[in-house]
Amino acid sequence: MTFVVTSTPGRSRSGPEADERPLADSTSAALHIAGLTLSDTSVGRVGLELEAHCFDLDDPHRRPSWAELRAVISAVPSLPGGGAITVEPGGAIELSGPPLDGPTAAIAAMAADREVLRSVAEEAGLGLVLLGADPLRRAQRINPGARYLAMEQFFTATCTAGAGAAMMTSTASMQINLDAGPRDGWADRVRLAHALGPTMIAIAANSPLLAGTFTGWQSSRQWVWGQLDSARCGPVLGASGDDPCTDWARYALKAPVMLVHTPHAVPLTTQVPFADWADGLVELDGRRPTTTDLDYHLTTLFPPVRPRGWLEIRYLDSVPDALWPALVFLLTTLLDDPQAADVAAEAVAPVATSWDLAARVGLADNRLYTAANRCVAAVADRAPAELSESMARLVHNVEAGRSPADDIADGVIRSGIVPAVRRLARGQE
């Protein structure tokens, strides 16, 4: 198993093409999905993905071109932490680390790789800013990949062009990838990963602005994602949550097909649930689907917790270097340590479905504030010495009821958006 994204956008690693076979119906599709959902493992490995908006240090309004970004990436030496570099549709640069034993090792590897990448980018006159949403520039795609063009066309056809463009080109996240754990604990683990979502969103909210405007949300990134089709971007968790594999299969089959792999990505302009294609109610590309089509379909689903053999935790804004190590340690410990998990499950129960509230007001809500403080208190003393400074800052923020978005907002109000972005791009918080 690997947590590193494939270098070819959109190709799933959940099944080799050599094993491609036709799907008889939606039942066979469900069985295929269920068999790939989670892997029966121990817990402990952690993989990280960190996205940063790329700004011109002298002209933050200017969006660096695709050619510029490719030149920067080609100048990056071999990364000491073993990470891979990719460029998002709007030019955000993503670092994807390999799975390592425990959060401390994963954090150290990501920090080392980020420092190398940051230094090379700075030499090229570019700054990498860890924010959940681009506070200054309007949405614009610069990655010429055919998949992203097709996604644009799909969003336009489904009347979500604005939100789709913002999602692809103006948002950035920190993703934490964790082992699925033993089979008999899957249901509780997946339920907790979802239940923690609103509280963790409130703690990590770091995007009060989008395209030059205060949106009224602490996490504008989450606000953007919330405007997209909930059948593709909403939580997976079923009514009981007792069978994560069945829940994921049901979710995936109900989700409308976004792209047909022909092998080029061709967008759909009508709503066709994958189940209808599998059952022969509709033919796409003049044919019935195969397992490769289904694997590709799974890569176009973006729930906040996505099972890919392991668990992808996708609901966190990209946050500053001073905070993301503590956030990684916090969420990993709350899910991987049984005692901390018990505390967390009880603490977040009252706000387990308050996704929009958390994104809008962050820790200003009393219930989210209480849940966040209980979660942080359960973990803070466990942090190793090398994370003590980051953890201390996180504890201070949560006790004060402040999300990172509050610091961003204060800076913008004090000096304006452009000076605030320029400071962030130069590494000055």
Side-chain angles (χ1 to χ4, degrees), residues 162-424:
M167 178 273 285
M168 288 197 300
T169 71
S170 298
T171 64
S173 68
M174 178 174 69
Q175 183 171 302
I176 302 177
N177 303 309
L178 303 175
D179 287 311
R183 182 183 298 272
D184 61 5
W186 284 351
D188 288 340
R189 187 166 174 77
V190 171
R191 272 195 294 264
L192 180 57
H194 282 84
L196 280 165
T199 299
M200 292 301 303
I201 286 170
I203 293 173
N206 190 38
S207 47
L209 296 99
L210 179 67
T213 302
F214 279 102
T215 64
W217 292 65
Q218 293 285 77
S219 176
S220 298
R221 173 186 172 273
Q222 193 70 18
W223 172 63
V224 166
W225 281 87
Q227 296 177 64
L228 298 172
D229 185 359
S230 62
R232 166 167 279 103
C233 301
V236 172
L237 201 63
S240 69
D242 289 337
D243 186 352
C245 297
T246 298
D247 287 345
W248 178 231
R250 183 181 296 111
Y251 181 101
L253 291 175
K254 289 175 65 177
V257 178
M258 173 185 274
L259 309 173
V260 179
H261 194 64
T262 66
H264 304 293
V266 176
L268 249 64
T269 57
T270 57
Q271 294 280 324
V272 178
F274 193 94
D276 287 0
W277 189 17
D279 285 330
L281 301 179
V282 177
E283 283 196 347
L284 302 178
D285 193 34
R287 59 183 176 82
R288 298 280 290 275
T290 67
T291 51
T292 297
D293 291 311
L294 180 51
D295 289 344
Y296 189 68
H297 172 64
L298 296 179
T299 72
T300 70
L301 307 180
F302 311 111
V305 179
R306 183 166 68 174
R308 295 188 62 193
W310 60 92
L311 292 180
E312 290 182 347
I313 311 298
R314 304 168 53 86
Y315 44 63
L316 298 175
D317 279 9
S318 185
V319 297
D321 286 309
L323 280 176
W324 69 256
L327 278 169
V328 171
F329 188 84
L330 172 65
L331 184 55
T332 301
T333 304
L334 292 175
L335 282 165
D336 283 2
D337 181 273
Q339 288 182 319
D342 288 343
V343 172
E346 180 182 347
V348 303
V351 290
T353 59
S354 301
W355 298 87
D356 284 351
L357 177 66
R360 190 172 70 252
V361 305
L363 296 175
D365 176 79
N366 287 335
R367 295 184 306 158
L368 286 163
Y369 174 81
T370 299
N373 274 277
R374 289 189 64 190
C375 287
V376 170
V379 171
D381 290 343
R382 303 168 185 243
E386 55 266 43
L387 298 181
S388 59
E389 187 174 344
S390 182
M391 185 59 71
R393 178 159 178 175
L394 179 63
V395 169
H396 172 78
N397 281 5
V398 172
E399 288 181 346
R402 290 178 64 86
S403 303
D406 293 307
D407 294 330
I408 299 300
D410 288 350
V412 169
I413 292 169
R414 184 169 54 247
S415 62
I417 298 178
V418 172
V421 170
R422 186 176 284 117
R423 283 198 305 274
L424 292 171

Side-chain angles (χ1 to χ4, degrees), residues 141 147-168 227-229 232 258-259 267-271:
R141 179 175 61 88
R147 173 179 166 96
Y148 299 127
L149 172 60
M151 288 176 68
E152 271 186 356
Q153 294 169 339
F154 172 85
F155 288 129
T156 298
T158 55
C159 302
T160 54
M167 178 273 285
M168 288 197 300
Q227 296 177 64
L228 298 172
D229 185 359
R232 166 167 279 103
M258 173 185 274
L259 309 173
L268 249 64
T269 57
T270 57
Q271 294 280 324

